[in-house]
């Protein structure tokens, strides 16, 4: 009433001037306004509100605006007066503000960056007054303001962008926007309007947030800005305050707000920035309010759109902060996530019709943070998982209200004594919940983190579990050790609990391989590999196919994955089965021999990769037993693969593309476990050249050479170092296949069969398609002669291969079968009549080679016993042929005798064996290279044929042949050296020498004096009764015209003198002694330094021996 009565004074100049003077009178502090003055601003506004004459209102408002805007309370009072006037004169107030905004002083204030005099200060913050006036207009005009909102917002945005920016303008802008947003939010009619300027206002707010100092928190600006955004965006669903925010704009808002708050330094650091303030703010309180505003923003977004997609959007912006390297940022992010989940759990605001999905990543992130070094982060993470568990249960119950929820399984207590987590253990706990009772949801907060994670996992779908695993895999590549360890734990737990129902396993395996390269923590790497082991229990084919794609070339990390794949025995068998199935996925080779034209496709990359892995896995201890059990399948498959690679003529392995296809499910039942071959001896190194002992003595046991082949530990290709290119040349498919065959024999205890081919140089037979059949036959013959225990198993496996569609598989099978006919063991699997039927059926095979081989098999003595006497009668005439003058004829005759001995098989010619041995030995020193080699080969074949038969006369011949064979290891003809090695090895087997495996290794690969010393030790240790014969034979070779053999004989005698001086002095004549002196004098001039040193020492020792009395 007072204001209405005072309207009449507006037209009185004296009254108006007095009132205006009182309003503009400077205050004493400029920070606090006297109550009387505050009342005058309100009183003035109410009077203008009551005035009916619009001209009068405009005049007074403009006069008021023309006063000073220098002081904050003055600006607030002017704005309050204008707002009160707008309650009734909104149009005129708007017009006055527009006119004032276009006035010259305002234009100067907007564009002036340098104040020249004191009068300019009254206009510097005029735009701040205008902004506050707009806010007051919105508050006072109430419902009348709605049509003006867009206009007001546009002016606010204008002054925000074009005013001189400072703290005053910022606070005025925020206050004005807060008043406007509050007025609109309180107005029920807001839903009838659509305001188009909100997007521009949000841009201003984001700019304001970005301009806030990154390392200080001194004002409530962040809190106010976030509060405005919270009120702008999520009005009731039917509100048209703004068009719906697009995803990009919402993402920008979230990113800006989160970064502005979460990236702040520690509170202690923030407090240091306020130490110079006269009245420093309470940083803890200010930060808490800012965090609460941020929580409100997240909650407002989810309330506006209560969907799981919206929740995923909000959480996706928190994920980078949850993975931050800074503890304070992780803690703030996990607190915000937990607060959001707590809100959703309690408010039940999510739409129950929504499928609760895409939270696997959240479970993974929080689960990893449950192992954070910061205790507060651990607690908040566990709490967040507990609220998530409640939310999942609530969503399930709300989605199916008519279905009686089954009682969940009882959760185990947090600790042994039952005390809740984080407690001191002195609280009384409730008795365990019976299994049949429903478990209270709040008990989830009493469990430890691992149990909470398991309970949450039970309510996740396959897709969510997959997201969880992806999060754990990504965590393996973290630079933070605790995250790597926690991610490995999470990965292992998830796969252990739910690995059987996972999908997209191939991609998971590929991702683990990529991350494994960066894992430096042994425990974490071990757990990641264990996860692969568990995953393989139900997904072996998918993992094998995936691993093949990155296994050529094979790095150490990939090999670790393969070893983990076969860590469990049943799975290792399945892995080999899948690899063998992939091996069968061969492309058609060019130019087939037994069918019509076929397309010249490239070989299947995974097939060749499977070949490589079958080779490498033979050296992995996890696959040792499986490889032994699968020996028959592997042997036949590798032989067929060798034939296939010979058909391809490929120089190197092609690169592997990413192929999603899987092979057909393999059905390769393993044969029953057969006893394996005797364990390979672990031999030590050979010694250096021995010094002459002061007192000669016989060595107790020779030092043995290191085994150059058959590595016991798994191998893998070297990893390319950073900055170095991987080697371009890859092993060819053929060489890989051949090495796989070699390692199969050596790693499964079949080293005797390996030795037969190695010492004969038989592996080169597998280098061409024409000599390939001889190589297969030689291998099968070695298995027969060594009485291999796998003959029955291999026979059982090859019989179905005779019906294979692949000609190469039938060819391999018939080659082996024709040799196995000489083994008595064959009849235990394939009786004589059944063998006849099999061979007769193969006579109708489409392949000419198979038909020819079948016909040769039908001619075996097994089916024609009368051939035995016929072959024996042919031996004497053949022996007479040894003395022909033509070298080729003699070599062929000796080869024929060897063939006769082989064809007789178990019906060997024992009666003629002595004659054959004597005749063959007589040609060991023949001047013709071919005859020497053929004679030694025949002698070796005779020894092999007589194995197991006690013939003393033959054993004498064998003993007498040892020194000649020993010395011919240095023959100038490579063919003779090869046959000398193999025959010496065969004789050692007949004489049952110990350390035969070491002997084989020495003969095959060792060189130098140490190897010669070992061979001499073996001979003298096992032939002490023939000491005189050996010495006499060695002395006779001192007259040889071949320098290497003569040197070798001198070394042999030197070793004998060293260890048996007394015996030598008694047996050697003066003539022999002089010959020895002469020989060692000549050896002092040998090109090889070690020989010269040895000869010098031997001369010295020989002089001492010769000086001894007889």
């Amino acid at each position: 009433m007072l204001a209405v009565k005072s309207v009449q004074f507006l037209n009185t100049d004296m009254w108006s001037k007095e009132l205006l003077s009182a309003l503009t009178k400077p205050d004493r502090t400029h920070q606090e306004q006297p109550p009387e003055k505050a009342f005058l601003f309100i009183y003035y506004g109410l009077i203008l509100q009551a005035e009916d004459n619009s001209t009068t209102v405009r005049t007074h408002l403009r006069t008021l605006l023309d006063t000073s805007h220098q002081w904050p309370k003055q600006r607030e009072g002017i704005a309050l007066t204008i707002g009160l006037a707008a309650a009734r004169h909104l149009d005129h107030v708007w017009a006055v503000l527009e006119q004032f905004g276009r006035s010259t002083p305002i234009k100067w204030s907007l564009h002036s960056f340098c104040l020249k005099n004191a009068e300019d200060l009254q206009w510097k913050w005029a735009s701040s007054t205008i902004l506050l006036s707009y806010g007051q207009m919105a508050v006072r005009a109430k419902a009348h303001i709605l049509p003006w909102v867009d206009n007001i917002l546009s002016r606010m945005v204008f002054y925000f962008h074009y005013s001189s920016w400072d703290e005053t303008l910022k606070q005025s802008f925020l206050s004005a926007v807060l008043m406007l947003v509050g007025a609109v939010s309180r107005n029920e009619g807001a839903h009838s309007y659509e305001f188009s300027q909100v997007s521009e206002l949000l841009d201003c707010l984001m700019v304001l947030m970005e301009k806030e100092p990154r390392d200080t928190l001194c004002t409530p600006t962040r809190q106010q800005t976030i509060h405005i955004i919270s009120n702008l965006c999520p009005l009731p669903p039917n509100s048209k305050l703004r068009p719906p925010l697009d995803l990009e704009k919402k993402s920008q808002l979230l990113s800006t707000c989160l970064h502005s708050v979460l990236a702040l330094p520690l509170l202690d650091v923030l407090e240091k920035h306020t130490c110079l303030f006269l009245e420093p703010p309470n940083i803890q309180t200010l930060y808490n309010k800012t965090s609460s505003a941020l929580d409100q923003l997240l909650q407002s977004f989810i309330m506006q759109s209560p969907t799981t997609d919206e929740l995923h959007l909000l959480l996706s912006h928190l994920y980078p902060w949850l993975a931050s390297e800074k503890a304070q940022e992780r803690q703030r992010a996990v607190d915000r996530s937990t607060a959001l989940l707590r809100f959703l759990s309690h408010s039940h605001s999510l739409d129950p019709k929504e499928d609760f999905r895409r939270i696997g990543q959240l479970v993974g992130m929080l689960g990893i943070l449950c192992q954070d070094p910061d205790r507060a982060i651990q607690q908040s993470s566990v709490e967040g998982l507990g609220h998530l568990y409640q939310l999942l249960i609530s969503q399930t119950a709300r989605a199916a209200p008519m279905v009686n929820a089954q009682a969940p399984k009882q959760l185990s207590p947090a600790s042994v004594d039952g005390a809740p987590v984080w407690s001191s253990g002195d609280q009384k706990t409730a008795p365990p919940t019976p299994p049949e009772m429903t478990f209270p949801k709040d008990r989830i907060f009493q469990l430890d983190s691992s149990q909470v994670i398991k309970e949450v996992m039970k309510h996740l779908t396959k897709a969510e579990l997959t997201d969880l695993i992806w999060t754990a895999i990504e965590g393996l590549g973290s630079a933070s050790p605790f995250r790597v360890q926690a991610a490995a734990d999470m990965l292992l737990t998830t796969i252990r609990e739910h690995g059987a129902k996972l999908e997209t396993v191939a991609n998971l395996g590929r991702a683990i391989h990529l991350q494994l390269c960066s894992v430096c923590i042994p425990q974490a790497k071990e757990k990641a590999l264990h996860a692969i082991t568990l995953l393989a229990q139900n997904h072996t084919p998918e993992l094998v196919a995936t691993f093949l794609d990155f296994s050529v070339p094979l790095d150490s990390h990939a090999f670790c994955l393969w070893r983990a794949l076969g860590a469990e025995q049943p799975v290792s068998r399945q892995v080999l089965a899948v690899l063998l199935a992939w091996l069968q996925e061969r492309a058609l080779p060019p130019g087939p021999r037994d069918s019509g034209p076929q397309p010249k496709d490239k070989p299947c990359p995974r097939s060749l990769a499977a070949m490589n892995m079958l080779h490498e896995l033979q050296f992995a201890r996890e696959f040792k037993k499986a490889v032994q059990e699968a020996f028959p399948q592997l042997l036949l498959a590798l032989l067929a693969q060798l034939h296939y690679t010979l058909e391809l003529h490929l120089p190197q392995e092609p690169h592997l593309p990413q192929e999603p296809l899987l092979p057909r499910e393999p059905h390769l039942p393993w044969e029953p476990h057969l006893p394996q071959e005797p364990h390979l001896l672990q031999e030590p190194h050979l010694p250096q050249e021995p010094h002459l002992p002061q007192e000669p003595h016989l060595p107790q046991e020779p030092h043995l050479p290191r085994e150059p082949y058959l590595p016991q530990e798994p191998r893998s290709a070297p990893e390319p170092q950073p900055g170095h290119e991987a080697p371009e040349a890859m092993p060819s498919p053929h060489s890989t296949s051949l090495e796989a065959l070699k390692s199969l024999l050596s790693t499964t205890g079949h080293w005797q069969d390996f030795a037969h081919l190695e010492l004969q140089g038989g592996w080169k037979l597998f280098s061409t398609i024409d000599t390939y059949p001889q190589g297969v036959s030689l291998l099968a013959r070695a298995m027969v002669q060594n009485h291999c225990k796998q003959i029955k198993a291999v026979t059982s496996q090859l019989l179905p291969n005779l019906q294979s569609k692949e000609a190469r598989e039938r060819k391999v099978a018939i080659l082996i079968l024709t040799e196995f006919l000489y083994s008595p063991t064959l009849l235990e699997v394939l009786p004589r009549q059944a063998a006849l039927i099999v061979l007769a059926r193969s006579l109708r095979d489409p392949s000419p080679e198979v038909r020819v081989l079948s016909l040769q098999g039908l001619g075996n003595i097994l089916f024609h016993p009368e051939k035995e006497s016929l072959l024996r009668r042919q031996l004497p005439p053949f022996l007479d042929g040894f003395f022909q003058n033509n070298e080729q004829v003699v070599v062929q005759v000796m080869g024929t005798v060897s063939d006769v001995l082989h064809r007789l098989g178990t019906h060997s010619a024992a009666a003629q064996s002595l004659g054959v041995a004597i005749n063959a030995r007589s040609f060991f020193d023949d001047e013709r290279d071919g005859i020497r080699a053929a004679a030694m080969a025949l002698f070796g074949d005779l020894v092999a044929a007589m194995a197991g038969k006690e013939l003393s006369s033959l054993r004498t011949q064998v003993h007498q042949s040892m020194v000649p064979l020993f010395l011919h290891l240095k023959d100038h003809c490579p063919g003779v050296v090869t046959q000398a090695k193999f025959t010496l090895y065969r004789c050692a087997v007949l004489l049952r020498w110990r350390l035969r495996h070491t002997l084989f290794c020495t003969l095959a690969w060792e060189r130098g004096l140490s190897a010669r010393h070992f061979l001499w030790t073996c001979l003298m240790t096992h032939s002490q009764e023939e000491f005189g014969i050996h010495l006499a034979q060695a002395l006779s070779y001192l007259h040889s015209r071949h320098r290497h053999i003569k040197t070798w004989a001198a070394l042999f005698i030197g070793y004998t003198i060293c260890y048996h001086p007394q015996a030598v002095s008694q047996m050697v004549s003066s003539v022999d002694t002089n010959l020895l002196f002469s020989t060692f004098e000549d050896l002092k001039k040998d090109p090889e330094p070690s020989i010269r040193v040895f000869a010098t020492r031997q001369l010295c020792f020989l002089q001492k021996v010769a000086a001894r009395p007889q």
Side-chain angles (χ1 to χ4, degrees):
M1 291 298 293
L2 178 62
V4 174
K5 292 179 181 181
S6 301
V7 169
Q8 56 181 330
F9 300 112
L10 290 175
N11 295 319
T12 305
D13 292 340
M14 185 62 67
W15 186 89
S16 299
K17 290 180 180 179
E18 290 291 336
L19 178 60
L20 190 62
S21 175
L23 290 174
T24 58
K25 180 180 179 181
D27 300 321
R28 284 177 297 179
T29 63
H30 305 295
Q31 298 296 327
E32 296 182 2
Q33 192 179 55
E36 299 84 2
K37 190 172 183 179
F39 169 76
L40 286 178
F41 278 114
I42 298 174
Y43 176 58
Y44 195 13
L46 291 175
I47 294 175
L48 293 175
Q49 185 183 107
E51 173 61 50
D52 294 328
N53 190 330
S54 59
T55 303
T56 302
V57 173
R58 289 190 181 198
T59 301
H60 280 269
L61 289 178
R62 178 56 190 265
T63 303
L64 182 63
L65 287 170
D66 286 338
T67 61
S68 176
H69 299 269
Q70 184 175 354
W71 309 111
K73 293 299 181 181
Q74 189 71 14
R75 295 191 294 271
E76 294 174 6
I78 294 172
L80 178 58
T81 299
I82 293 174
L84 290 170
R88 188 176 177 202
H89 304 285
L90 185 57
D91 295 349
H92 303 293
V93 172
W94 174 264
V96 170
L97 290 174
E98 284 290 289
Q99 183 183 9
F100 180 66
R102 294 184 177 92
S103 64
T104 300
I106 298 301
K107 291 180 179 179
W108 286 350
S109 68
L110 293 178
H111 298 92
S112 176
F113 300 97
C114 181
L115 301 177
K116 298 179 181 180
N117 51 57
E119 293 182 0
D120 292 335
L121 289 175
Q122 72 172 344
W123 300 110
K124 178 180 179 181
W125 293 289
S127 56
S128 176
T129 304
I130 297 174
L131 286 170
L132 292 172
S133 299
Y134 285 135
Q136 289 290 351
M137 286 172 59
V139 174
R140 306 301 172 179
K142 298 182 181 180
H144 301 290
I145 199 63
L146 292 177
W148 295 86
V149 170
D150 270 340
N151 290 333
I152 294 175
L153 287 176
S154 67
R155 303 314 296 163
M156 288 181 172
V157 171
F158 171 81
Y159 287 110
F160 177 86
H161 286 300
Y162 295 102
S163 298
S164 297
W165 187 259
D166 59 11
E167 188 66 25
T168 299
L169 177 68
K170 178 173 65 176
Q171 291 301 323
S172 299
F173 176 78
L174 287 174
S175 299
V177 174
L178 280 169
M179 287 188 282
L180 176 63
V181 171
V184 175
S185 301
R186 291 189 296 271
N187 200 309
E188 296 181 358
H191 66 273
S192 302
Y193 293 86
E194 181 173 346
F195 306 117
S196 60
Q197 292 295 313
V198 173
S199 179
E200 286 72 12
L201 178 59
L202 290 174
D203 290 336
C204 295
L205 293 171
M206 284 192 290
V207 171
L208 192 150
M209 289 285 283
E210 290 170 354
K211 287 186 176 181
E212 281 296 288
R214 299 292 178 87
D215 57 349
T216 61
L217 180 64
C218 303
T219 66
T221 301
R222 288 183 173 87
Q223 172 193 346
Q224 293 172 349
T225 306
I226 296 173
H227 180 69
I228 292 172
I229 296 174
S230 300
N231 285 277
L232 274 178
C233 298
L235 288 179
N238 58 349
S239 172
K240 295 185 180 179
L241 175 64
R242 57 163 181 81
L245 284 179
D246 58 72
L247 186 61
E248 182 179 359
K249 177 73 71 175
K250 185 180 294 186
S251 179
Q252 291 177 353
L253 280 171
L254 287 170
S255 298
T256 302
C257 294
L258 289 172
H259 188 275
S260 181
V261 178
L262 301 184
L264 287 170
L266 291 168
L267 296 185
D268 293 341
V269 178
L270 293 175
E271 289 179 352
K272 292 179 181 178
H273 288 284
T274 64
C275 62
L276 300 179
F277 283 41
L278 294 177
E279 296 181 2
N282 188 320
I283 297 298
Q284 183 67 59
T285 303
L286 191 57
Y287 173 76
N288 291 341
K289 290 182 178 180
T290 306
S291 298
S292 298
L294 189 57
D295 289 337
Q296 182 184 356
L297 175 65
L298 298 176
Q299 295 168 12
S300 62
F301 274 121
I302 200 68
M303 288 297 292
Q304 181 194 19
S305 178
T307 64
T308 54
D309 288 338
E310 184 74 8
L311 177 61
H312 176 72
L313 174 66
L314 301 180
L315 293 173
S316 65
H317 285 79
L318 285 168
Y319 290 152
W321 300 99
L322 291 173
S324 172
E325 294 298 323
K326 298 180 180 179
Q328 74 270 17
E329 293 178 355
R330 294 198 304 273
Q331 180 177 351
R332 293 163 184 168
V334 76
D335 288 343
R336 304 288 71 76
S337 303
T338 300
L340 180 60
L341 293 172
R342 185 191 304 115
F343 170 77
L344 291 174
S345 176
H346 294 164
S347 65
H348 304 291
S349 55
L350 280 181
D351 188 350
K353 296 180 181 179
E354 286 276 331
D355 291 334
F356 206 96
R357 60 188 186 277
R358 304 176 72 178
I359 61 167
Q361 186 176 3
L362 174 63
V363 177
M365 299 291 283
L366 293 179
I368 290 174
L369 291 177
C370 286
Q371 298 188 32
D372 196 283
D374 190 297
R375 181 64 173 169
I377 297 177
Q378 293 180 23
Q379 295 177 350
S380 187
S381 301
V382 175
E383 181 186 355
L385 286 172
H387 289 302
L388 179 59
Y389 173 81
Q390 290 184 332
L391 186 59
L392 290 169
I393 296 296
S394 175
Q395 284 294 108
T396 304
R398 293 172 63 204
M402 302 304 295
V403 179
N404 293 327
Q406 297 181 355
K409 295 181 179 180
Q410 180 182 1
L411 303 179
S412 55
S415 59
V416 177
D417 58 1
V421 69
W422 312 318
S423 73
S424 59
D426 56 352
Q427 296 98 329
K428 294 183 179 180
T429 56
T433 305
E436 64 273 8
M437 294 179 60
T438 302
F439 204 51
K441 291 191 295 182
D442 55 358
R443 275 292 300 277
I444 193 71
F445 298 105
Q446 301 178 16
L447 305 177
D448 61 27
S449 59
S450 61
Q451 293 170 321
V452 172
I453 293 171
K454 290 180 182 179
E455 292 302 321
V456 173
M457 284 182 186
K458 294 177 182 178
H459 299 276
L460 300 182
T461 63
K462 293 180 182 178
E464 291 165 355
L465 288 170
T466 302
D467 288 342
L468 170 58
I469 292 180
W470 276 113
T471 305
I473 294 174
E474 184 179 358
L476 293 175
S478 173
S480 176
F482 95 85
R483 293 188 65 85
V484 175
Q485 187 65 54
D489 291 337
M490 177 71 67
L491 178 65
L492 181 58
T493 299
T494 307
I495 292 179
R496 178 184 287 119
E497 299 292 329
H498 305 281
K501 58 183 180 181
L502 289 176
E503 298 176 349
T504 64
V505 172
N507 293 333
L508 296 178
R510 190 176 296 111
I512 291 175
H513 170 251
L514 293 176
Q515 294 288 24
L516 207 61
C517 305
S518 60
V519 178
C520 300
I521 303 176
Q523 297 87 345
K525 190 171 185 178
E526 182 180 349
K527 289 181 179 180
L529 293 174
H530 189 198
I532 289 292
T533 301
L534 298 178
L535 200 59
Q537 293 175 351
N538 301 281
H539 305 282
T540 304
E542 298 97 316
L543 290 176
V544 169
T546 301
F547 290 178
L548 286 175
D549 291 338
F550 53 72
S551 293
V552 176
L554 183 67
D555 58 56
S556 60
H557 304 293
F559 191 71
C560 287
L561 287 172
W562 282 102
R563 291 182 59 183
L565 204 61
E568 295 181 353
Q569 195 60 37
V571 178
S572 64
R573 298 189 185 99
Q574 191 177 0
V575 170
L576 291 183
V578 176
L579 287 174
L580 285 171
W582 271 114
L583 192 64
Q584 304 301 318
E585 298 293 319
R586 307 182 182 101
L588 298 175
R593 295 173 175 263
D594 58 341
S595 60
Q598 298 181 15
K600 298 183 179 181
D601 297 335
K602 294 183 179 180
C604 175
R606 281 186 178 168
S607 175
L608 298 180
M611 180 70 260
N612 182 62
M613 287 316 305
L614 286 172
H615 174 215
E616 297 291 343
L617 293 182
Q618 293 172 18
F619 302 99
R621 62 177 180 271
E622 293 82 359
F623 287 86
K624 182 176 182 180
K625 185 175 181 181
V627 169
Q628 289 175 342
E629 294 176 355
F631 177 83
Q633 293 89 343
L634 290 170
L635 177 66
L636 297 177
L638 294 179
L639 288 172
Q641 181 71 8
L642 268 172
H643 193 285
Y644 172 69
T645 57
L646 289 173
E647 300 172 45
L648 287 176
H649 305 294
L650 288 180
Q652 67 178 39
E653 185 82 8
H655 295 290
L656 297 180
Q658 302 293 321
E659 297 186 15
L661 299 178
L662 295 175
R664 59 181 180 270
E665 187 67 19
H667 296 283
L668 301 174
W670 303 124
E671 295 293 328
H673 178 68
L674 297 176
Q676 63 183 33
E677 294 295 320
H679 183 67
L680 305 185
L681 295 175
Q682 304 292 329
E683 312 292 356
H685 292 278
L686 274 170
Q688 300 299 322
E689 181 61 31
H691 294 285
L692 297 180
Q694 297 298 324
E695 294 295 331
H697 64 280
L698 284 175
Q700 298 297 321
E701 185 68 34
H703 291 286
L704 306 178
R706 178 182 61 83
E707 183 175 331
Y709 196 65
L710 321 178
Q712 300 301 315
E713 291 299 321
R715 309 174 305 164
S716 61
E719 298 180 67
Q721 298 298 322
H724 297 274
E725 297 294 331
E728 296 181 0
M730 291 292 298
S732 67
H734 176 75
S735 63
T736 301
S737 303
L738 183 58
E739 289 302 315
L741 178 62
K742 293 179 180 180
S743 59
L744 176 67
L745 296 174
S746 59
T747 59
T748 54
H750 298 81
W751 67 266
Q752 298 96 330
D753 307 328
F754 177 87
H756 270 236
L757 273 78
E758 182 68 28
L759 293 176
Q760 293 182 80
W763 300 118
K764 63 184 178 183
L765 297 173
F766 291 99
S767 60
T768 66
I769 198 73
D770 296 325
T771 58
Y772 171 84
Q774 301 174 41
V776 177
S777 298
L778 190 62
L779 175 58
R781 185 175 302 178
M783 296 176 67
V784 172
Q785 292 177 353
N786 292 318
H787 307 289
C788 177
K789 297 180 180 180
Q790 291 279 9
I791 288 180
K792 290 193 292 184
V794 173
T795 303
S796 299
Q797 189 66 33
L798 67 81
L799 290 176
N801 284 15
L802 289 171
Q803 308 299 322
S804 172
K805 296 180 180 179
E806 297 288 343
R808 68 180 70 90
E809 294 184 359
R810 302 195 304 273
K811 180 178 178 180
V812 169
I814 197 65
L815 282 169
I816 296 177
L817 180 60
T818 53
E819 288 296 331
F820 278 8
L821 291 173
Y822 295 103
S823 172
T825 309
L826 175 77
L827 299 178
E828 300 178 19
V829 181
L830 189 67
R832 179 175 175 275
Q833 190 61 34
L836 276 172
I837 295 174
V838 169
L839 293 171
R841 186 188 301 120
S842 296
L843 289 175
R844 299 188 295 273
D845 194 276
S847 170
E849 293 176 285
V850 176
R851 295 198 297 270
V852 170
L853 292 169
S854 302
L855 190 61
Q856 292 176 357
L858 287 171
N860 192 284
I861 195 172
L862 175 67
F863 308 116
H864 306 281
E866 66 278 5
K867 284 187 175 182
E868 179 183 349
S869 58
L870 177 63
L871 291 174
R872 286 179 178 175
R873 288 196 299 270
Q874 298 300 320
L875 282 177
F878 286 147
L879 295 179
D880 295 337
F882 287 6
F883 301 96
Q884 296 289 328
N885 293 326
N886 190 302
E887 180 180 358
Q888 272 190 324
V889 172
V890 176
V891 170
Q892 290 177 356
V893 170
M894 289 183 176
T896 302
V897 174
S898 292
D899 187 59
V900 169
L901 293 176
H902 170 63
R903 291 180 181 278
L904 285 172
T906 56
H907 311 280
S908 56
Q912 294 93 342
S913 61
L914 182 60
V916 174
I918 293 173
N919 281 277
R921 274 192 58 242
S922 65
F923 290 93
F924 279 8
D925 297 313
D926 194 275
E927 291 299 322
R928 295 164 290 183
D929 297 343
I931 292 179
R932 287 201 309 278
M936 292 178 186
L938 172 59
F939 192 84
D941 290 336
L942 176 65
V943 169
M946 296 297 108
K949 298 178 174 61
E950 291 297 333
L951 298 174
S952 58
S953 56
L954 180 62
R955 294 177 68 87
T956 301
Q957 293 298 317
V958 171
H959 281 296
Q960 294 177 3
S961 70
M962 297 303 284
V963 170
L965 292 172
F966 183 78
L967 298 179
H968 277 289
L969 294 177
K970 292 299 179 180
D971 197 285
H972 69 275
C973 175
V976 175
V977 174
T978 298
Q979 293 303 329
K981 287 181 178 181
F982 187 46
T983 304
L984 182 63
Y985 169 77
R986 283 178 145 181
C987 292
V989 172
L990 179 72
L991 298 176
R992 299 177 183 177
W993 282 12
R994 295 183 298 110
L995 305 176
R996 289 192 293 273
H997 181 265
T998 308
L999 173 65
F1000 152 60
C1001 294
T1002 304
L1003 290 171
W1005 299 296
E1006 294 293 345
R1007 299 292 183 271
L1009 291 179
S1010 58
R1012 300 169 190 174
H1013 177 260
F1014 171 74
L1015 293 175
W1016 174 87
T1017 304
C1018 288
L1019 178 60
M1020 301 306 292
T1021 302
H1022 296 90
S1023 307
Q1024 295 183 5
E1025 297 178 359
E1026 288 77 22
F1027 178 85
I1029 298 176
H1030 294 336
L1031 184 60
Q1033 288 178 319
L1035 286 170
S1036 67
Y1037 277 95
L1038 292 178
H1039 300 281
S1040 174
R1041 295 186 294 107
H1042 301 288
R1043 183 177 68 85
H1044 290 294
I1045 294 180
K1046 182 179 179 180
T1047 302
W1048 197 201
L1051 293 177
F1052 181 92
I1053 297 171
Y1055 284 129
T1056 307
I1057 295 172
C1058 176
Y1059 290 103
H1060 305 279
Q1062 188 68 29
V1064 171
S1065 64
Q1066 293 177 358
M1067 298 181 60
V1068 176
S1069 65
S1070 59
V1071 176
D1072 294 331
T1073 302
N1074 292 332
L1075 179 61
L1076 284 172
F1077 274 115
S1078 174
T1079 303
F1080 285 124
E1081 284 291 344
D1082 293 340
L1083 289 180
K1084 289 174 64 178
K1085 305 173 185 177
D1086 193 272
E1088 187 175 342
S1090 59
I1091 299 294
R1092 295 197 300 269
V1093 172
F1094 182 81
T1096 302
R1097 292 175 179 173
Q1098 288 297 325
L1099 271 174
C1100 179
F1101 191 71
L1102 185 60
Q1103 291 171 354
K1104 295 179 181 180
V1105 172
R1108 289 182 179 181
Q1110 297 294 327

